[in-house]
């Protein structure tokens, strides 16, 4: 029942690792996340997993990718439903009418 709990916070080593990511690396993560979002609802865990496979930055955890998804929701780049604190129980999509990645 591990998915019933909120996604874990980044530990000290992970925090240090992501703090040292370059702007280009974070942009690559953001672009990969955006690439896997459409105008249809998709599980955050699917979007994150697909982006992880695409970017493959050693040691960068899925939780950081999920945090980036939350940032995109906060900025209005994505819409969300469900509990974003639990990537297996939330979904995102490109806002209808934005024209990006429509399916």
């Amino acid at each position: 029942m591990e998915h019933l709990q909120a996604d874990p916070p980044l530990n000290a080593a992970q925090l240090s690792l992501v703090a040292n990511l370059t702007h280009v690396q974070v942009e690559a993560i953001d672009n990969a996340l955006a690439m896997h979002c459409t105008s249809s609802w998709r599980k955050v865990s699917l979007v994150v997993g697909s982006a992880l496979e695409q970017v493959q930055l050693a040691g960068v955890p899925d939780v950081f990718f999920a945090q980036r998804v939350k940032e995109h929701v906060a900025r209005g780049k994505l819409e969300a439903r469900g509990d974003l604190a639990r990537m297996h129980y939330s979904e995102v999509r490109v806002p209808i009418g934005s024209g990006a990645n429509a399916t």
Side-chain angles (χ1 to χ4, degrees), residues 5 10 36 39-40 45 49-50 57-59 62 77 80 82-83 85 93:
Q5 297 179 7
L10 297 175
H36 296 288
S39 59
S40 299
S45 56
S50 298
L57 291 170
D62 60 348
K77 294 180 180 180
D83 184 357
R93 71 177 180 190

Side-chain angles (χ1 to χ4, degrees), residues 22-85:
T22 67
H23 173 74
V24 171
Q25 290 171 314
V26 174
E27 189 173 286
I29 291 169
D30 290 346
N31 289 339
L33 291 167
M35 181 181 295
H36 296 288
C37 292
T38 69
S39 59
S40 299
W41 292 107
R42 289 197 171 168
K43 290 277 188 194
V44 172
S45 56
L46 173 66
V47 172
V48 165
S50 298
L52 266 170
E53 287 180 14
Q54 183 178 338
V55 177
Q56 297 185 2
L57 291 170
V60 178
D62 60 348
V63 176
F64 179 71
F65 281 64
Q67 288 175 355
R68 297 301 303 161
V69 169
K70 289 182 206 175
E71 178 68 24
H72 289 290
V73 170
R75 292 183 178 183
K77 294 180 180 180
L78 295 173
E79 294 179 332
R81 67 181 182 188
D83 184 357
L84 282 177

